[in-house]
Amino acid sequence: MRALQGITVLDLTHMLSGPYGAMVLADLGARCIKVEPPGAGEGTRALLAKDRDFSRDGMGAYFLTLNRGKESICVDLKSEAGREVFYDLVRHADVVIDNFSVGVTQRLGIDHESLAKVNERIVTCSISGFGATGPDPHRPAFDQVVQAMGGGMSITGFADSPPVRSGIPHGDLGGGVFGAIGVLAALVNRQLTGKGRHVDVSMLDVQASLLNYMATMYLMSGQVPDRIGNSHFVHVPYNSFRTADGYVIVACIGDAFFEKFVEMLGRDELRDPELRKQPVRFAAKAQIEAVIHEEFAKQGNEYWLARLREARIPCGPVNDFAAALSDPQLLARNMVIEVELPGGSKVRMPGNPVKLEGCDDPAQPSPPPRLGEHTDAVLGTLPGYDKARLASLRERGVIA
């Protein structure tokens, strides 16, 4: 069985944050029906779709990854007839998730208040840049905007360089993850109350939440943190160190790990008993790291990682994508999966990180859908949608 087996999600999302949240739900076993506008469909269908390196079967990497395991139907939600079709879908669904700009669902008549009149058990989720409340919820936002506004970008990078965004779009992806969490919480609440709830997720709120203890430290002290690269504001050594052929991370949190590290490294400069005290180490961070840099440059990654692991010191290589996605630990946990496309080609992509004991892990999810591939199959299961009605709706452009 699958964890969310029996849950039906109507996915109105586009681009990255919403599709990622819906993908998480699909990975966990929900039936995810992607509702797309007739014609071009959802916007990411066109992204990289004609790129020789980053597309397969006419679908680019964005769409291939974010829409695996989903079905696709085409319904014109801007028409009254299309909205009636959508309401019929809502009567038999559990969740509706979108990442439209604030106000769009109200204008279309598919907001929670409207849909709850059709199905009081429906859970709705909207992911937006700034949420539905506050002084200016209508501002447009993308990943880098909320990364910058949320504070995290100000501490990313090195002190002598401009701030930089995270290499992965965690502004978007964080919104999707918290959207999925909100949906799961609302489904549990529905078990208690019998009624669905609306989930309002702000990507900016998520960035503030991810500041976590560092935000608390600022709010306690008034001290604005600076960019410190890969080092730490408490622990030493905790940094990336260049070796003869790459970079290695060493993370000595606490005195015990530092003592092991000193014994492993064998440099007398670090044997001073005073350095066993964290405040003294932090004050001497530059000198300690200079010794480590000098020593690590003498051998390559493989040598130092073997020594560090033997001493059970937290460490790791700074992997590029090729190394990371061939790591035996990740491969053993189905974190690189293969999806077979209708045309016969296969695409590898990241797997599902949530492993539930006793539930199936979708190591081979169904391929991302062709535009409108499942329109007749999905609508044909609803009362009153015989072949004649489907043909009439299609002829009028209501469905495709």
Side-chain angles (χ1 to χ4, degrees), residues 4-173:
L4 295 183
Q5 189 169 317
I7 297 296
T8 297
V9 177
L10 301 179
D11 175 9
L12 303 180
T13 65
H14 63 289
M15 298 306 290
L16 184 51
S17 62
Y20 186 72
M23 184 205 79
V24 170
L25 298 174
D27 278 355
L28 293 174
R31 183 189 187 191
C32 193
I33 301 170
K34 192 172 183 68
V35 183
E36 303 184 68
E42 193 251 291
T44 53
R45 281 191 178 274
L47 282 177
L48 302 174
K50 297 182 179 180
D51 189 284
R52 184 176 62 182
D53 295 322
F54 303 130
S55 68
R56 299 289 186 275
D57 280 15
M59 291 180 279
Y62 277 80
F63 193 85
L64 285 168
T65 307
L66 295 164
N67 295 286
R68 65 190 187 207
K70 300 181 183 181
E71 302 169 60
S72 170
I73 67 173
C74 288
V75 180
D76 180 11
L77 296 178
K78 294 181 179 179
S79 71
E80 184 176 347
R83 285 192 294 275
E84 290 301 323
V85 172
F86 185 69
Y87 294 153
D88 287 338
L89 286 164
V90 169
R91 289 185 175 91
H92 301 273
D94 300 282
V95 178
V96 176
I97 182 169
D98 79 87
N99 62 323
F100 294 132
S101 298
V102 171
V104 170
T105 57
Q106 287 84 355
R107 289 198 298 273
L108 291 175
I110 56 172
D111 56 299
H112 182 80
E113 184 178 358
S114 300
L115 299 184
K117 294 175 183 177
V118 175
N119 177 359
E120 68 173 4
R121 291 175 57 80
I122 198 71
V123 168
T124 58
C125 174
S126 295
I127 303 167
S128 62
F130 303 102
T133 58
D136 192 5
H138 300 284
R139 287 176 293 170
F142 291 103
D143 171 80
Q144 190 162 179
V145 173
V146 296
Q147 282 201 39
M149 293 181 65
M153 189 168 162
S154 73
I155 59 169
T156 304
F158 292 87
D160 57 354
S161 64
V164 295
R165 68 174 176 85
S166 167
I168 55 173
H170 64 69
D172 277 323
L173 298 177

Side-chain angles (χ1 to χ4, degrees), residues 54-326:
F54 303 130
S55 68
R56 299 289 186 275
D57 280 15
M59 291 180 279
Y62 277 80
F63 193 85
L64 285 168
T65 307
L66 295 164
N67 295 286
R68 65 190 187 207
K70 300 181 183 181
E71 302 169 60
S72 170
I73 67 173
C74 288
V75 180
D76 180 11
L77 296 178
K78 294 181 179 179
S79 71
E80 184 176 347
R83 285 192 294 275
E84 290 301 323
V85 172
F86 185 69
Y87 294 153
D88 287 338
L89 286 164
V90 169
R91 289 185 175 91
H92 301 273
D94 300 282
V95 178
V96 176
I97 182 169
D98 79 87
N99 62 323
F100 294 132
S101 298
V102 171
V104 170
T105 57
Q106 287 84 355
R107 289 198 298 273
L108 291 175
I110 56 172
D111 56 299
H112 182 80
E113 184 178 358
S114 300
L115 299 184
K117 294 175 183 177
V118 175
N119 177 359
E120 68 173 4
R121 291 175 57 80
I122 198 71
V123 168
T124 58
C125 174
S126 295
I127 303 167
S128 62
F130 303 102
T133 58
D136 192 5
H138 300 284
R139 287 176 293 170
F142 291 103
D143 171 80
Q144 190 162 179
V145 173
V146 296
Q147 282 201 39
M149 293 181 65
M153 189 168 162
S154 73
I155 59 169
T156 304
F158 292 87
D160 57 354
S161 64
V164 295
R165 68 174 176 85
S166 167
I168 55 173
H170 64 69
D172 277 323
L173 298 177
V177 169
F178 275 82
I181 292 171
V183 165
L184 296 176
L187 288 172
V188 172
N189 182 260
R190 189 180 71 173
Q191 292 290 100
L192 303 174
T193 66
K195 293 185 178 181
R197 303 281 183 181
H198 179 60
V199 179
D200 171 20
V201 173
S202 155
M203 291 161 59
L204 182 61
D205 289 356
V206 170
Q207 294 304 294
S209 173
L210 295 176
L211 296 179
N212 203 263
Y213 64 86
M214 295 193 70
T216 305
M217 290 169 63
Y218 160 72
L219 293 169
M220 291 171 68
S221 68
Q223 298 175 22
V224 178
D226 296 320
R227 293 185 294 284
I228 56 174
N230 297 323
S231 66
H232 199 277
F233 56 88
V234 174
H235 304 295
V236 180
Y238 190 111
N239 210 335
S240 58
F241 298 96
R242 184 156 196 167
T243 70
D245 60 5
Y247 287 89
V248 164
I249 296 293
V250 175
C252 288
I253 295 179
D255 299 339
F257 279 124
F258 179 71
E259 291 175 18
K260 289 182 178 182
F261 181 77
V262 170
E263 290 305 310
M264 185 278 301
L265 200 66
R267 291 286 294 254
D268 290 338
E269 303 99 308
L270 304 185
R271 296 185 188 277
D272 183 348
E274 286 297 302
L275 290 177
R276 296 183 180 184
K277 303 172 185 177
Q278 183 276 330
V280 177
R281 283 201 304 279
F282 189 77
K285 177 161 69 169
Q287 298 96 302
I288 292 172
E289 290 188 343
V291 171
I292 299 170
H293 280 295
E294 179 184 330
E295 193 67 21
F296 272 37
K298 298 175 182 178
Q299 300 284 349
N301 271 24
E302 187 175 343
Y303 172 84
W304 287 115
L305 290 170
R307 294 282 309 280
L308 290 161
R309 287 167 179 163
E310 184 179 6
R312 296 196 58 76
I313 295 166
C315 64
V318 179
N319 285 333
D320 60 17
F321 276 37
L325 296 174
S326 60

